[in-house]
Amino acid sequence: MNTKKEKIKLNVVKCYAPTNDSNDETKEIFYNRLQSVLDKQKNKDVVILMGDFNAKIGLIKRGFEEVMGQQGLGTVNENGGLFMD
């Protein structure tokens, strides 16, 4: 989507991550593809990343405060760790 201000683009990336029970190769492929999509975005553009990441971030978020606000619940699962990285 193009915006009216300084030719900044709004990019929406919507995805559905493999479940926590998926094999490691499937998860690695997904996160590598997602990273390559995000790497192609220009720094001045706005990117909205949304979807179902099948991830639990949990309450402890030291070093990842920008990923999750005060709404964390439970403990981090494997997909939560992959998502935060």
Side-chain angles (χ1 to χ4, degrees), residues 8-57:
I8 295 173
K9 289 185 179 180
L10 171 66
N11 299 297
V12 179
V13 179
K14 185 174 185 284
C15 55
Y16 183 81
T19 64
N20 213 44
D21 295 333
S22 297
N23 66 46
D24 289 343
E25 182 181 357
T26 300
K27 292 178 191 181
E28 185 176 343
I29 290 169
F30 168 78
Y31 280 103
N32 285 338
R33 285 181 182 167
L34 177 59
Q35 189 63 56
S36 73
V37 168
L38 296 175
D39 288 344
K40 291 177 186 174
Q41 307 304 311
K42 295 180 182 174
N43 287 337
K44 69 177 186 173
D45 293 343
V46 176
V47 178
I48 298 174
L49 175 60
M50 58 191 287
D52 184 351
F53 291 91
N54 291 303
K56 291 183 183 177
I57 304 298

